Amino acid sequence: MGMVAELERRQSAMELHVINSIQQSLDNNQPLSFQALASLRSLIINPAAPDSTLSSVLDALTRSLQLNRDPVFLHHAVKLLSDLASHRPHLSPFALDLLRSDSLFSSASPRLVGESLSVLLSLASIGNDMDAARFVSLCLGPSVSVRQCLLRNAEKLVFRESVLLAVFLGFTRDPYPYVRKEALDGLVKLCKNGDFDDRDVIEGCYCRAVELLRDAENYVRSAAVRAVCEWGRLLVICSEDMNKQDSSDAVFIQLGCMVRDMSLDVRLEAFEALGKIGLVSEDILLQTLSKKVLGINKDKAYKPIEGLDISVSAVAGAYIHGLEDEFSEVRMSACYSLRTLTVFSLRFACEALNLMMDMLNDDSTVIRLQALDAIHHMATSDHLKVEKIHIHRFLSVLVDSSSVIRSMTRKILKLAKLPQFELFKLCIDGLLGNLEIYPQDEADVLSALFHFGRNHGKFTVHIIEEVAPEMEPASGGKLSFDSTRVAAFLVLAISAPLSHEKDVSAIPPRIFSYAVTWLGRISYGLSDIMNQEKLLAYLSECSRSSTISLADFKINEALLTVEGDASIPLCSKVDSPVSMPFWKDSGGISDYHQQEFLSLGKSAAHAEYELGEHSELRKYVNLIFKKVKDSWSLVELGCTTEACKGIRACKEEVASFTTESPGSFGAVAFTLQYLQVIEMLAKVWGHLRATKMLNPNGVGKLELLFAKLDRRLREISNRFIGLSKGEELQILDLVLVACLLRLSRVEICCCNAAMKLLSSTVAHVEYLHKEGSIEPSNFVTEVKKSLHDVDSSSSSSSCQPLLFKKLLDSFSLQQFVLYGTPRSVHAELAVPGNDSENPLPFIPGIPASIPLAITLHNVLTESRLWVRISMGEESTQFVFLDLNLIRNKRRSINVVREFTFVAPFYRTPKAVSFTVRASLGLECFRENVDRVKVFGGPKCELTYLCPEKEIFLCKSTECKSKSAFT
């Protein structure tokens, strides 16, 4: 205890000495040195520092800000105040007051002002105290980046709506296009969150947005489309009842004009906006499906606002143009938009059905599925009228190679109601063809036949009468148990007594007795309706009586009704009722993560337990991720050094976390790996976003940074399991950024390899989006569109640095949120008893045996592992490690395998002794563009699971000598 007291006394004396020396310098009007600032930071982050010391630190910073106006000093002062506000909550108000003071915001350095704003916004404390005058003055300042930052975060500022409205409207005329875009986006947010009832204000915002539809920049026009949509809907609401229809039609036509825009993004926004307009006249809807102006719409024009006339002819053939667009994204968006409008008009739905049938020929599986989803939506709205001209095209997708397409087609048939027996019979033949070509679909086909037959009771009885001879026993009284066709007709027969239709003729009772022999297969197909016991009772009763009641068998009528609103959210948007949230802001499991656990066969309770097992650790880890996101704003402002310091501080904090509890090791290891990736990405970003050309030394340094970044990305992508699709997608976003950074400068660009990796990563991102029904971010959408543009360009070179630089402008680091418990894939490698004094024996020229004691953690059996053995830089060999030969073959993600593997080393030199280095690598199949040319070795890049182990070997005759390696 005496030693502890002595240490505390010395610590207090040292702190007092630091404070006194700083106060003395300030009393002499001398600016603080960088060494003094470092001493102040050590006091701030010291948890044992008393409040009196911290108050002295705050006083010293206050006085130094008045004495020193050097920009470099002010940057460090901002960092210190940020640390003080985050580490000392009771002093946070005073530190934030200094950050909001004129000494920082009146600085001539835009970078300093932006850094101060970034800190305040990250601490969510700027909105309560910044006055409107200062906000406007900063927006009017010379720094475009500061102006963008303020407009982008204006919703966090507590101002009157009138102030924000005036600022946003004013800056829609800014000479810088990105500022105009932020101003338009601000108007959209203000419209969604505000309460406006002044028609003049609404008309003014709407007119300004309409003007910017003709802006020269694509992203400004995209933002203008969103603004026209939101303010147009508000214009409809505030219109008089007799004018609401005309106002809504006018807004719809105004948006429809943009579907022919040259920009892909603008067309996507236009179709999305069209789907949000809920009140549209049937004549205008029909006009969107015809390139020729309809007679009823000739010379028809609308005037929603004085001086703003628009003709109906402007929207002629809008959806035809969208469905014929060269880009699949536009075709899919047009399908989804058209889907939402079919509920308003039966006539429009019938005309749209012709186009949807044409879309079933599209090369893209996703678009065919979206077209089927639109048809399914028509069926649920009772607007599906299938004609003879449609039926053959529709039934052809029952034999599509995609199981999802076939399943969606069967869902539509479950809801279909056909007017003619001929069409009914064609559909039955189509389902039988599906069953013949794809026997694995049997259960779903039988379910579709049951619902389809129940909806057409009279037709079902008629077709059973036709095929009854096929179901009769063969000669000798034996039934055929091999014909799936017989099973299909028996299911049709079972559905007939449960039909909604009246006066349905009775089916011969003996048919139901035949169905008992198929009980197992039929009950499997009808498991969503009744279990095997109830089915047997139902068949027994039907074989004796022709009058059946559902109540007799306790069959719920609701189970016999197909859910009509269970459509597939292929093109869902954030505010769409069918969209699935990417993350939930509140605690607990998100819907997406819950569904992932259930898809793995786990119960909801088990999922909640597994995700909540380390809730305290996960809470701290997510706070670290929030700090990283805040640090990235410094990278965007050019303060890479300060951002890296902040990330290194986070790494030190994470390294102090305990990993003793089960499962915590993986979370801590993943967090550290993520921080290393972001740190390397920040360093590369700082070098490449500079406008000056790189000198030869800079190119070499940058190549080294890229090599480290690629290795870190490969490790975080392959050395952790248990991540959700959403978490994997955020990692892949970083891979995309790394590719774009390499492609953005010609000095370091290896174009072919980088483009292959970019294309491969985009393809994997698309796969995860489809698998998880997750909406792609704006950044991913931009990358996909630009990649398509590069592929379809006629130029001989695909290296377009300016294009890739522009894509980087659309990237914004999203906060990583860890919901689950990732598990680290790693290994331990040892050679028992081997050191320089106890080498392994070998004979020169003959392969040497190296016994390796290997411990694998969380490595799946299907993984391809390689032992890499190298002797210097000139000789390297790989030995494949077949995990199927290991006794422990459990497919578990929490398994530890321990075994001994004898690896041969073939290239023994003619020497008395030598050393080799061995390590264990995991082959990365996803990195299929990084093929390595090693004869007899891995085909793809390796991610190493353990450090290199040095192994000593000595010639057999010399092994007993202890001086072989001395």
Side-chain angles (χ1 to χ4, degrees):
M1 294 296 293
M3 183 177 296
V4 173
E6 178 63 21
L7 289 175
E8 291 179 349
R9 187 188 64 78
R10 291 184 180 181
Q11 179 71 21
S12 300
M14 184 172 61
E15 292 174 356
L16 183 62
H17 175 71
V18 170
I19 294 296
N20 289 336
S21 62
I22 291 175
Q23 292 288 357
Q24 185 176 1
S25 299
L26 294 174
D27 290 339
N28 296 329
N29 293 330
Q30 296 178 355
L32 294 181
S33 64
F34 291 112
Q35 182 179 1
L37 291 176
S39 301
L40 288 179
R41 188 175 189 278
S42 65
L43 295 177
I44 292 173
I45 64 177
N46 182 11
D51 291 344
S52 58
T53 300
L54 295 174
S55 299
S56 300
V57 170
L58 188 61
D59 292 339
L61 285 174
T62 304
R63 294 182 61 187
S64 62
L65 286 174
Q66 298 171 354
L67 295 174
N68 195 341
R69 305 301 301 162
D70 179 57
V72 178
F73 167 79
L74 293 177
H75 281 297
H76 288 283
V78 168
K79 176 60 179 172
L80 290 176
L81 291 172
S82 173
D83 291 338
L84 189 62
S86 58
H87 286 81
R88 309 293 177 175
H90 63 287
L91 294 177
S92 178
F94 304 102
L96 295 175
D97 286 340
L98 285 178
L99 284 169
R100 287 188 288 263
S101 64
D102 292 334
S103 56
L104 293 177
F105 277 104
S106 61
S107 171
S109 171
R111 176 180 170 186
L112 178 62
V113 176
E115 187 177 346
S116 303
L117 280 173
S118 177
V119 172
L120 288 170
L121 289 169
S122 66
L123 296 173
S125 61
I126 190 173
N128 295 325
D129 298 285
M130 177 179 278
D131 57 274
R134 171 170 289 178
F135 171 70
V136 174
S137 65
L138 287 173
C139 288
L140 294 173
S143 174
V144 179
S145 59
V146 171
R147 199 179 312 156
Q148 278 185 259
C149 181
L150 282 171
L151 293 177
R152 186 183 303 118
N153 296 280
E155 71 275 7
K156 299 179 182 179
L157 308 175
V158 185
F159 295 143
R160 295 192 310 274
E161 289 180 350
S162 58
V163 174
L164 293 177
L165 182 66
V167 170
F168 288 143
L169 275 176
F171 281 106
T172 55
R173 301 182 184 277
D174 194 273
Y176 293 96
Y178 279 109
V179 176
R180 297 198 298 273
K181 174 189 175 298
E182 295 295 345
L184 284 168
D185 288 341
L187 283 176
V188 171
K189 296 175 185 176
L190 198 61
C191 178
K192 291 181 178 179
N193 304 324
D195 183 15
F196 296 95
D197 53 8
D198 189 334
R199 184 174 176 85
D200 291 336
V201 171
I202 297 172
E203 288 182 356
C205 294
Y206 178 79
C207 287
R208 184 63 192 129
V210 170
E211 290 177 24
L212 288 174
L213 291 176
R214 298 185 294 273
D215 195 277
E217 297 296 335
N218 300 339
Y219 45 85
V220 178
R221 296 199 302 278
S222 296
V225 169
R226 295 190 292 270
V228 168
C229 178
E230 296 301 328
W231 285 98
R233 293 165 70 184
L234 195 57
L235 182 66
V236 174
I237 293 173
C238 73
S239 299
E240 298 178 359
D241 291 343
M242 64 180 64
N243 296 327
K244 283 186 184 295
Q245 183 68 68
D246 289 346
S247 298
S248 182
D249 290 344
V251 174
F252 184 86
I253 296 170
Q254 189 70 67
L255 293 169
C257 297
M258 304 304 294
V259 300
R260 300 179 183 84
D261 194 275
M262 296 298 293
S263 168
L264 168 64
D265 286 338
V266 176
R267 298 199 297 276
L268 287 173
E269 291 289 350
F271 280 113
E272 180 186 352
L274 287 176
K276 295 179 180 179
I277 307 299
L279 186 66
V280 188
S281 298
E282 184 179 73
D283 297 338
I284 295 178
L285 288 176
L286 293 173
Q287 186 62 74
T288 62
L289 304 181
S290 173
K291 293 183 179 180
K292 182 180 179 181
V293 179
L294 302 178
I296 195 172
N297 290 326
K298 285 185 177 179
D299 302 326
K300 183 187 288 188
Y302 288 88
K303 180 185 273 189
I305 300 174
E306 192 64 33
L308 190 62
D309 296 340
I310 187 165
S311 173
V312 178
S313 60
V315 80
Y319 278 109
I320 295 178
H321 284 288
L323 296 175
E324 294 176 350
D325 197 278
E326 60 177 319
F327 293 100
S328 60
E329 296 93 336
V330 178
R331 299 198 299 275
M332 188 167 67
S333 182
C335 279
Y336 184 79
S337 175
L338 188 145
R339 167 192 181 275
T340 62
L341 296 173
T342 54
V343 298
F344 301 117
S345 168
L346 175 60
R347 187 180 172 191
F348 174 71
C350 293
E351 295 293 334
L353 182 61
N354 297 326
L355 297 178
M356 291 299 99
M357 290 297 174
D358 291 338
M359 297 308 294
L360 296 180
N361 293 315
D362 198 280
D363 294 334
S364 170
T365 301
V366 178
I367 293 177
R368 296 201 304 275
L369 189 56
Q370 184 64 70
L372 287 170
D373 184 49
I375 299 173
H376 182 266
H377 190 65
M378 297 178 196
T380 60
S381 307
D382 200 23
H383 281 180
L384 179 62
K385 304 299 179 185
V386 181
E387 303 293 340
K388 190 173 182 179
I389 59 174
H390 304 139
I391 199 70
H392 292 286
R393 176 77 282 263
F394 176 71
L395 294 177
S396 65
V397 292
L398 279 173
V399 292
D400 193 277
S401 59
S402 170
S403 61
V404 182
I405 294 288
R406 300 195 302 271
S407 175
M408 193 63 184
T409 309
R410 293 190 292 266
K411 285 183 180 180
I412 296 171
L413 285 175
K414 289 181 181 181
L415 297 169
K417 295 178 182 178
L418 303 176
Q420 302 172 15
F421 176 73
E422 182 184 0
L423 300 181
F424 174 81
K425 190 174 181 181
L426 287 172
C427 290
I428 296 296
D429 291 339
L431 287 169
L432 293 175
N434 178 186
L435 188 58
E436 181 181 355
I437 298 175
Y438 300 100
Q440 65 269 27
D441 294 349
E442 179 177 310
D444 199 27
V445 170
L446 295 181
S447 177
L449 283 167
F450 178 87
H451 289 284
F452 190 60
R454 187 169 179 263
N455 291 336
H456 306 82
K458 294 181 180 179
F459 294 160
T460 299
V461 173
H462 185 40
I463 202 170
I464 292 298
E465 292 174 352
E466 289 185 357
V467 300
E470 297 183 34
M471 295 186 283
E472 295 293 340
S475 58
K478 294 183 179 181
L479 292 169
S480 174
F481 293 99
D482 298 328
S483 174
T484 54
R485 178 180 173 86
V486 172
F489 285 128
L490 287 173
V491 170
L492 271 178
I494 291 171
S495 69
L498 302 175
S499 174
H500 293 295
E501 298 181 6
K502 297 179 180 180
D503 302 326
V504 177
S505 303
I507 292 193
R510 68 180 185 279
I511 299 294
F512 298 99
S513 63
Y514 299 158
V516 175
T517 60
W518 297 78
L519 185 64
R521 293 173 70 175
I522 294 176
S523 64
Y524 182 65
L526 305 184
S527 59
D528 58 331
I529 301 167
M530 63 182 90
N531 58 31
Q532 186 169 322
E533 181 182 352
K534 290 179 181 178
L535 177 61
L536 179 58
Y538 171 74
L539 293 175
S540 300
E541 183 65 25
C542 288
S543 63
R544 295 192 298 266
S545 172
S546 58
T547 304
I548 301 299
S549 172
L550 297 182
D552 296 338
F553 306 99
K554 299 180 180 179
I555 300 175
N556 190 349
E557 177 72 20
L559 293 177
L560 299 176
T561 304
V562 183
E563 290 293 334
D565 56 352
S567 57
I568 297 178
L570 291 172
C571 194
S572 57
K573 302 300 176 182
V574 174
D575 53 355
S576 172
V578 295
S579 64
M580 184 175 293
F582 189 75
W583 299 112
K584 274 190 177 179
D585 294 332
S586 59
I589 303 178
S590 70
D591 294 341
Y592 174 68
H593 284 79
Q594 185 78 11
Q595 290 188 15
E596 266 196 337
F597 272 92
L598 296 178
S599 68
L600 294 174
K602 302 179 181 180
S603 66
H606 182 73
E608 187 68 41
Y609 168 76
E610 189 159 348
L611 290 182
E613 190 178 6
H614 309 287
S615 58
E616 195 65 26
L617 174 63
R618 192 170 63 251
K619 175 182 176 183
Y620 290 129
V621 166
N622 287 332
L623 288 176
I624 293 294
F625 288 142
K626 184 178 185 303
K627 292 181 182 179
V628 173
K629 178 184 179 298
D630 297 335
S631 298
W632 187 259
S633 59
L634 296 178
V635 177
E636 294 176 331
L637 292 170
C639 309
T640 306
T641 304
E642 290 77 6
C644 289
K645 288 180 181 178
I647 295 173
R648 284 193 290 271
C650 291
K651 287 165 61 176
E652 294 173 3
E653 189 173 348
V654 174
S656 66
F657 290 168
T658 178
T659 58
E660 296 176 355
S661 61
S664 60
F665 177 84
V668 173
F670 177 84
T671 307
L672 284 172
Q673 189 69 39
Y674 181 84
L675 292 173
Q676 290 172 342
V677 169
I678 297 299
E679 183 180 9
M680 295 307 304
L681 194 63
K683 291 180 178 179
V684 174
W685 186 286
H687 279 77
L688 285 181
R689 299 298 282 168
T691 56
K692 60 183 180 181
M693 294 291 291
L694 296 172
N695 56 40
N697 293 333
V699 171
K701 182 178 180 181
L702 194 55
E703 286 289 357
L704 181 61
L705 289 176
F706 263 117
K708 292 181 178 179
L709 175 61
D710 293 341
R711 178 167 58 87
R712 296 296 186 192
L713 286 171
R714 195 157 47 242
E715 289 175 351
I716 199 172
S717 299
N718 296 278
R719 289 192 59 177
F720 297 92
I721 58 178
L723 296 175
S724 69
K725 290 183 176 65
E727 290 162 347
E728 285 187 45
L729 284 169
Q730 286 193 278
I731 299 299
L732 290 174
D733 279 356
L734 302 181
V735 178
L736 291 177
V737 173
C739 294
L740 294 176
L741 285 170
R742 189 179 283 277
L743 290 165
S744 65
R745 294 299 287 262
V746 293
E747 301 97 320
I748 49 91
C749 176
C750 182
C751 197
N752 291 335
M755 284 299 296
K756 287 180 181 178
L757 180 57
L758 182 64
S759 301
S760 172
T761 306
V762 168
H764 189 63
V765 168
E766 289 180 331
Y767 169 78
L768 290 179
H769 282 149
K770 295 173 186 176
E771 284 289 307
S773 297
I774 301 174
E775 182 189 2
S777 63
N778 292 334
F779 170 66
V780 172
T781 303
E782 289 282 345
V783 173
K784 288 167 58 179
K785 181 200 71 172
S786 300
L787 191 61
H788 188 280
D789 291 341
V790 170
D791 292 340
S792 59
S793 64
S794 58
S795 59
S796 58
S797 174
S798 59
C799 283
Q800 303 178 26
L802 294 179
L803 172 64
F804 298 118
K805 283 183 179 179
K806 188 176 180 181
L807 285 176
L808 288 171
D809 293 332
S810 64
F811 172 74
S812 178
L813 183 68
Q814 301 299 315
Q815 180 181 345
F816 197 97
V817 181
L818 192 64
Y819 278 94
T821 306
R823 291 174 172 83
S824 173
V825 178
H826 60 285
E828 298 166 11
L829 189 67
V831 181
N834 178 254
D835 54 26
S836 60
E837 297 294 328
N838 298 283
L840 297 175
F842 82 101
I843 299 175
I846 297 178
S849 298
I850 302 176
L852 301 174
I854 299 175
T855 303
L856 302 179
H857 298 265
N858 304 315
V859 178
L860 298 178
T861 304
E862 60 268 23
S863 302
R864 288 177 60 87
L865 296 182
W866 294 83
V867 179
R868 180 181 183 271
I869 306 176
S870 60
M871 184 178 63
E873 297 181 356
E874 69 282 352
S875 178
T876 300
Q877 74 168 47
F878 293 90
V879 181
F880 179 65
L881 183 59
D882 191 352
L883 296 181
N884 291 310
L885 301 179
I886 301 172
R887 291 182 180 180
N888 186 356
K889 297 182 181 180
R890 289 180 295 164
R891 185 185 174 90
S892 171
I893 59 174
N894 194 22
V895 69
V896 177
R897 298 184 180 89
E898 296 181 357
F899 56 94
T900 300
F901 176 74
V902 179
F905 182 71
Y906 298 100
R907 303 174 183 177
T908 53
K910 294 181 179 180
V912 174
S913 62
F914 70 100
T915 61
V916 296
R917 291 184 174 274
S919 58
L920 198 62
L922 174 68
E923 194 165 357
C924 308
F925 291 105
R926 190 182 301 169
E927 310 287 335
N928 56 358
V929 297
D930 294 326
R931 296 287 178 175
V932 292
K933 298 180 179 179
V934 179
F935 180 76
K939 296 180 179 180
C940 302
E941 286 285 343
L942 296 181
T943 295
Y944 291 97
L945 306 182
C946 62
E948 281 189 328
K949 173 68 178 177
E950 188 174 21
I951 303 172
F952 300 88
L953 295 97
C954 178
K955 193 174 179 181
S956 297
T957 56
E958 303 290 337
C959 275
K960 295 183 181 181
S961 172
K962 299 295 184 181
S963 60
F965 288 91
T966 58

